[in-house]
């Protein structure tokens, strides 16, 4: 029983630590809450949980070393930079032309409202998590040693670890989505400021990823 509780707690805390460091995904969840309300925002977070689960599976299989392959590093460098620049563009657009929000409208409030289909929100969350440079780095550095301390041959231990991991991601998504949806009641000036801050953060992530990739992959500096 102790091993089950311990593995659940370890999975929960590992996921929570990763959530705290998922800058790209957290910003996207908050911004979706601002634009379209709690339901759409939570779907983004829910999708990101599956992205986390993908990297957890790689860690459990001992495949996190794949991130050190040259071809994978180039794909993550170029693809990740382009995704972050695209997100920066969207945030700048929302800063210049902020959406007119009505917290009581179907689009921003209800699960079945008009707008983007639910499955697309989940897919966006999944894609953001899989392409998040901070999440990839965290799994490559942190997840391996943590998973190595778990007896993955014990089905009960393994199951409790995965459940704890997924539960923390869902809880975090609920909290961030709720905070984002509450912010939708703020004025347009505040929304402009939040969009601008989001754009600055995305751009900072993009520049950091590009410079680090340029140094390590092109110039050969560690």
């Amino acid at each position: 029983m102790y091993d089950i509780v311990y593995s659940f707690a370890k999975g929960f805390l590992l996921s929570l630590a990763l959530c705290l460091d998922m800058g790209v995904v957290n910003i996207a969840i908050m911004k979706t809450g601002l634009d379209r309300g709690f339901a759409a925002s939570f779907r983004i977070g829910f999708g990101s949980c599956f992205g986390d689960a993908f990297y957890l599976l790689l860690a459990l299989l001992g495949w996190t070393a794949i991130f050190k392959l040259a071809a994978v590093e180039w794909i993550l460098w170029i693809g990740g930079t382009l995704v972050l620049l695209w997100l920066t563009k969207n945030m700048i657009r929302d800063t210049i032309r902020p959406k007119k929000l009505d917290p009581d409208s179907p689009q921003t409030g209800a699960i079945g409202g008009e707008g983007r289909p639910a499955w697309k929100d989940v897919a966006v969350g999944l894609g953001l998590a899989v392409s998040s440079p901070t999440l990839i780095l965290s799994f490559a550095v942190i997840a391996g040693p943590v998973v190595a301390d778990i007896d993955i041959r014990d089905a009960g231990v393994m199951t409790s670890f995965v459940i704890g991991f997924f539960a923390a991601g869902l809880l975090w998504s609920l909290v961030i989505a709720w905070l984002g949806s509450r912010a939708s009641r703020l004025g347009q000036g505040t929304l402009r400021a939040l969009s601008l801050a989001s754009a600055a953060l995305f751009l900072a992530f993009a520049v950091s990823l590009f410079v680090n990739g340029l140094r390590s992959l092109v110039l050969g500096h560690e």
Side-chain angles (χ1 to χ4, degrees):
M1 184 63 183
Y2 171 80
D3 290 340
I4 299 295
V5 174
Y6 174 77
S7 59
F8 177 89
K10 197 150 194 177
F12 189 93
L13 293 175
L14 170 62
S15 179
L16 190 59
L18 294 171
C19 287
L20 289 168
D21 195 40
M22 279 199 307
V24 174
V25 179
N26 285 332
I27 295 170
I29 295 173
M30 287 287 292
K31 192 61 173 62
T32 302
L34 286 169
D35 292 343
R36 299 168 56 218
F38 172 80
S41 182
F42 175 69
R43 288 194 293 266
I44 298 287
F46 181 69
S48 73
C49 291
F50 291 97
D52 299 347
F54 169 72
Y55 285 121
L56 177 64
L57 177 62
L58 292 183
L60 292 173
L61 295 175
W63 289 357
T64 51
I66 193 174
F67 300 131
K68 297 182 180 180
L69 296 177
V72 175
E73 287 184 333
W74 276 86
I75 292 172
L76 293 175
W77 175 44
I78 297 173
T81 300
L82 290 176
V83 168
L84 289 168
L85 289 175
W86 174 74
L87 292 169
T88 301
K89 175 189 73 70
N90 289 344
M91 295 304 102
I92 293 174
R93 178 199 62 198
D94 288 347
T95 301
I96 298 172
R97 295 192 303 273
K99 296 178 176 65
K100 294 182 179 180
L101 302 177
D102 179 3
D104 299 320
S105 71
Q107 182 173 348
T108 58
I111 294 177
E114 298 177 357
R116 175 186 288 167
W119 69 267
K120 286 190 176 181
D121 289 327
V122 176
V124 167
L126 171 62
L128 285 173
V130 170
S131 62
S132 170
T134 54
L135 182 61
I136 293 169
L137 179 61
S138 296
F139 262 100
V141 175
I142 299 172
V146 171
V147 171
D149 192 39
I150 298 294
D151 185 7
I152 61 175
R153 295 169 297 179
D154 187 317
V157 169
M158 187 69 214
T159 301
S160 63
F161 179 80
V162 172
I163 291 175
F165 184 89
F166 209 84
L170 286 176
L171 179 61
W172 180 262
S173 297
L174 281 168
V175 172
I176 296 298
W178 183 83
L179 290 174
S181 65
R182 297 301 95 186
S184 67
R185 289 166 168 76
L186 301 174
Q188 291 293 313
T190 303
L191 296 180
R192 284 181 186 272
L194 291 173
S195 295
L196 181 60
S198 297
L201 288 172
F202 278 132
L203 183 59
F205 281 125
V207 171
S208 176
L209 178 61
F210 179 78
V211 171
N212 290 337
L214 184 66
R215 287 173 54 85
S216 61
L217 298 177
V218 178
L219 302 179
H221 299 317
E222 295 295 335

